[in-house]
Amino acid sequence: MDNNMPYSRHIFIFPFQWDYIGHKVSKKEDLSYNQRTDIEAFDRIFTQETKLKRTFFEINDSAIHYNEYTYYYPFVRNSIYGTKENKAVYFYELHDENGKYSIDIKAGINRTYDLRLTKISVHIFDTGVGLVSFTLHNDSYKDESDILRINDFGRRLYPQFLDKSERLKAKEVFLADSISGHIGVLDFYEDFSQFEGEIDHRSPFLPPDHIRQVFGYSKTDRLGDSWSKFVFRDQDERAGTIRISPIMDDRMYFLSHYKNGHLANRVGRKRDCPKQKIAALHGITANDGYAYESGYERDFWYRYMYGDGNGKGIANSDLQLSEIKKGTYSRWVENGTLIGITRDSSVYLSTFPPIEAHFMSIYYQMAILNLVQRAGVLRFSAEITNLTEQILGRKKKAGRHIKELYENYIRFLNQVFFREVTSQIQGIEMYELFQKAMNIERDAKALDGEMTELFNYLEIEEQTALNKTANLYLPLALITGVLGINTLGYNGWFDRLFAWNNTNSWQWSVGDFITTIVIAICLYFPIKYHFKTKNK
């Protein structure tokens, strides 16, 4: 048996937003954020519908779990691990070492890649986002071109474009002709033929079969079936269902570990060029970079990082090199280990055994955490857009929804968004690369500005309402002061109202009538304001 088997490992991750529709409404957005992100409701419905089982993270006698868990700061762990005590993260899994994931390609080459599908995992977070991941082992294909095609074609969810004359012409470029396979009792097949019919502009996302079956669909079920508890289109939303919406584009996020010792050693070599030789003659050390920064190695490394299967997706050598340097972690390059991190991927070229172990645990969890942060920022941004529409539409409950969203946003910043997650230097450096590649810090700052403006608007609205009430009390106070009414004194308004000092008569002055009107008005408007703000 080849010691390098599997030759590569691949993990495809589908990030999504979920919304629980607890009762009938005209639009799911009319429900509050807390109502739509009820994680216990998700667990109840998902457990009923899916073949995946909820599992809890435990260390027990597992060295891998121990190493992974202690790698991260204690305050970070609750954002990653679904333990029995953690009510913010739920984890589900379907495991089978003999599963299969087949990628049939007709774009430039007629070939089918049969990979082992060993696990499907689902991570659910109480921020209303989730992740589905497919863990694949490649035991058969060694060549670099094979690895590139697996990453590119295997992660596609739907056609990037439709052609007028030949609807699925994307299959000639980078869409697989079909993706099929099985794991446990799940047996899926997707040829993207559903995109040959009419598509509703309100819901253009038509999930492939391997995504649908994770959420309880059978092979014969179709979108819109009334018994489906998980829905993907606006027109299928109804009470008791959960809406699943994609966060990224037609491609899943991917992680890839390629064990090619010859290539790994080659890309880590210093470039041999005339400038170096001339410098050496004069006793000067010249640094002209590494092999992965030029020639074939540069093209392969770029395509591996960015998931380009059949060709390089760039035609500017300067920009290509700049992008490579921006996303490459080269701390161990001279030992044959190179790591690349982009907005849509994290890739590892190495035969060093610890890298393989970390790829399936520590590095996987780091990618998960950053994806959750990115998805959370996008989710909150969408919620702000929805609340802005409610404000413009003068919805009564907009104020209450803004307060609730702001509270959850503060919790998100404290429990999910971190500047540093480990004390290990390589972990610190890699986490910074993830953050920069996904623009998380930039987008979080923009989100903070949007959230602050929204909350300031709410404060202005409430202050305006209070000012109106205060302006009403001012003339009433002046009238009361001018009349000099002794409301609570002896033989005053309060005495005469209840005739405590004169049981035979109940005589009121003009001032008493005015006092009664003033007090009634003073009581009416605060009570009205209380009930009005209570319903917002």
Side-chain angles (χ1 to χ4, degrees):
M1 183 176 178
D2 193 331
N3 290 330
N4 280 329
M5 289 181 60
Y7 300 120
S8 63
R9 298 176 189 264
H10 309 261
I11 303 176
F12 299 143
I13 302 177
F14 169 60
F16 61 91
Q17 172 182 318
W18 61 270
D19 293 273
Y20 170 60
I21 306 171
H23 56 268
K24 187 176 180 180
V25 288
S26 58
K27 291 174 58 180
K28 68 176 182 295
E29 287 81 9
D30 291 337
L31 297 170
S32 70
Y33 178 85
N34 283 348
Q35 289 174 317
R36 286 181 286 119
T37 58
D38 184 349
I39 195 169
E40 291 184 0
F42 184 99
D43 177 59
R44 183 180 68 253
I45 296 174
F46 191 70
T47 301
Q48 291 172 354
E49 299 296 313
T50 189
K51 303 302 180 183
L52 282 71
K53 302 297 181 184
R54 185 181 176 192
T55 60
F56 300 97
F57 180 87
E58 295 177 323
I59 296 178
N60 295 327
D61 60 350
S62 171
I64 293 177
H65 281 189
Y66 174 83
N67 296 339
E68 175 185 338
Y69 193 73
T70 57
Y71 186 85
Y72 293 103
Y73 288 133
F75 57 81
V76 175
R77 296 167 190 163
N78 278 344
S79 300
I80 304 175
Y81 299 105
T83 61
K84 290 181 179 179
E85 305 79 23
N86 190 2
K87 303 301 181 183
V89 180
Y90 285 20
F91 180 75
Y92 308 84
E93 190 175 56
L94 178 60
H95 190 276
D96 184 354
E97 288 295 327
N98 297 314
K100 186 178 181 181
Y101 192 95
S102 297
I103 310 165
D104 187 34
I105 302 173
K106 295 292 189 289
I109 182 174
N110 289 323
R111 187 157 192 180
T112 299
Y113 292 100
D114 293 321
L115 310 175
R116 275 196 300 129
L117 175 58
T118 62
K119 184 167 58 176
I120 297 179
S121 305
V122 173
H123 304 252
I124 298 298
F125 302 86
D126 65 353
T127 52
V129 300
L131 306 166
V132 178
S133 69
F134 300 85
T135 301
L136 311 173
H137 290 197
N138 163 28
D139 300 325
S140 305
Y141 313 100
K142 298 181 181 180
D143 291 348
E144 292 136 34
S145 58
D146 294 326
I147 308 306
L148 297 175
R149 291 193 195 101
I150 289 170
N151 284 336
D152 193 10
F153 290 87
R155 64 184 176 130
R156 300 282 175 171
L157 294 169
Y158 55 87
Q160 190 183 67
F161 67 91
L162 297 178
D163 187 70
K164 185 185 295 184
S165 57
E166 189 178 347
R167 194 83 159 173
L168 293 177
K169 198 175 182 63
K171 288 186 176 183
E172 299 178 8
V173 187
F174 38 56
L175 181 67
D177 190 62
S178 68
I179 292 178
S180 59
H182 60 81
I183 182 170
V185 297
L186 301 186
D187 184 10
F188 53 88
Y189 176 83
E190 180 58 58
D191 61 1
F192 308 101
S193 58
Q194 57 186 330
F195 289 91
E196 292 180 335
E198 293 185 358
I199 299 174
D200 193 319
H201 71 279
R202 296 169 298 175
S203 306
F205 175 64
L206 305 177
D209 194 32
H210 47 295
I211 296 294
R212 292 198 303 269
Q213 290 200 29
V214 169
F215 292 101
Y217 285 69
S218 70
K219 202 167 187 176
T220 57
D221 289 343
R222 293 293 178 264
L223 295 181
D225 288 343
S226 59
W227 54 81
S228 300
K229 293 294 185 181
F230 287 89
V231 298
F232 299 88
R233 303 182 302 183
D234 291 350
Q235 59 266 40
D236 300 329
E237 293 177 2
R238 61 188 183 279
T241 62
I242 295 177
R243 172 67 187 272
I244 303 297
S245 307
I247 290 177
M248 293 176 62
D249 55 14
D250 62 304
R251 301 161 297 178
M252 289 188 274
Y253 185 94
F254 75 94
L255 294 89
S256 178
H257 173 221
Y258 184 24
K259 294 195 296 183
N260 184 327
H262 177 68
L263 179 61
N265 291 327
R266 203 166 73 231
V267 299
R269 292 176 185 164
K270 289 279 190 177
R271 285 190 291 181
D272 185 17
C273 64
K275 186 187 295 186
Q276 284 182 311
K277 293 178 179 179
I278 294 173
L281 291 175
H282 293 83
I284 302 172
T285 301
N287 182 12
D288 284 291
Y290 293 93
Y292 72 86
E293 297 174 334
S294 66
Y296 169 83
E297 289 80 8
R298 178 180 64 182
D299 288 347
F300 167 80
W301 185 240
Y302 180 88
R303 291 172 64 189
Y304 189 41
M305 286 175 62
Y306 286 91
D308 292 341
N310 271 346
K312 187 174 61 173
I314 194 169
N316 183 321
S317 58
D318 292 337
L319 179 59
Q320 178 183 348
L321 181 58
S322 173
E323 292 297 301
I324 285 175
K325 289 183 175 181
K326 186 167 63 175
T328 298
Y329 184 60
S330 56
R331 172 176 280 268
W332 303 298
V333 65
E334 293 179 16
N335 285 338
T337 293
L338 200 59
I339 297 172
I341 296 171
T342 74
R343 178 176 176 271
D344 301 314
S345 67
S346 53
V347 297
Y348 305 81
L349 175 63
S350 177
T351 57
F352 189 46
I355 296 295
E356 183 173 11
H358 292 348
F359 172 80
M360 300 298 294
S361 56
I362 292 172
Y363 299 154
Y364 172 74
Q365 297 295 356
M366 188 175 290
I368 291 293
L369 178 59
N370 281 275
L371 282 171
V372 170
Q373 291 176 0
R374 178 181 171 191
V377 169
L378 293 174
R379 165 100 204 205
F380 278 109
S381 183
E383 293 292 332
I384 291 172
T385 301
N386 168 55
L387 285 173
T388 302
E389 292 176 357
Q390 289 189 21
I391 291 169
L392 295 175
R394 298 296 178 184
K395 293 288 182 72
K396 291 184 177 180
K397 296 182 180 180
R400 190 182 72 190
H401 288 178
I402 291 172
K403 292 177 183 177
E404 185 179 284
L405 182 67
Y406 193 75
E407 291 171 358
N408 282 280
Y409 171 67
I410 295 300
R411 189 163 62 88
F412 168 75
L413 291 180
N414 291 325
Q415 298 182 4
V416 180
F417 187 75
F418 308 108
R419 296 190 180 277
E420 189 175 291
V421 295
T422 178
S423 60
Q424 299 293 322
I425 184 63
Q426 52 81 221
I428 294 172
E429 293 169 346
M430 287 180 64
Y431 183 72
E432 288 178 353
L433 267 181
F434 272 107
Q435 294 278 298
K436 290 178 182 177
M438 295 187 185
N439 289 319
I440 292 175
E441 185 174 352
R442 181 201 68 184
D443 293 344
K445 285 182 179 178
L447 175 64
D448 189 65
E450 294 173 14
M451 191 68 72
T452 301
E453 289 177 4
L454 186 67
F455 199 70
N456 287 343
Y457 169 83
L458 178 62
E459 290 183 331
I460 291 171
E461 284 288 293
E462 291 182 342
Q463 189 61 48
T464 300
L466 289 172
N467 288 342
K468 288 179 180 179
T469 304
N471 291 337
L472 177 65
Y473 287 159
L474 180 59
L476 297 177
L478 288 173
I479 293 172
T480 304
V482 170
L483 293 174
I485 299 170
N486 189 357
T487 305
L488 298 177
Y490 175 76
N491 202 30
W493 173 83
F494 203 79
D495 266 352
R496 290 193 293 276
L497 175 64
F498 296 100
W500 285 343
N501 296 319
N502 188 350
T503 58
N504 297 322
S505 63
W506 190 33
Q507 298 176 348
W508 276 22
S509 65
V510 174
D512 292 330
F513 281 106
I514 294 176
T515 301
T516 304
I517 294 172
V518 170
I519 291 176
I521 293 174
C522 290
L523 292 174
Y524 170 74
F525 283 101
I527 293 172
K528 179 183 177 182
Y529 178 77
H530 169 75
F531 283 106
K532 183 179 179 180
T533 55
K534 183 179 180 181
N535 293 325
K536 283 188 176 182

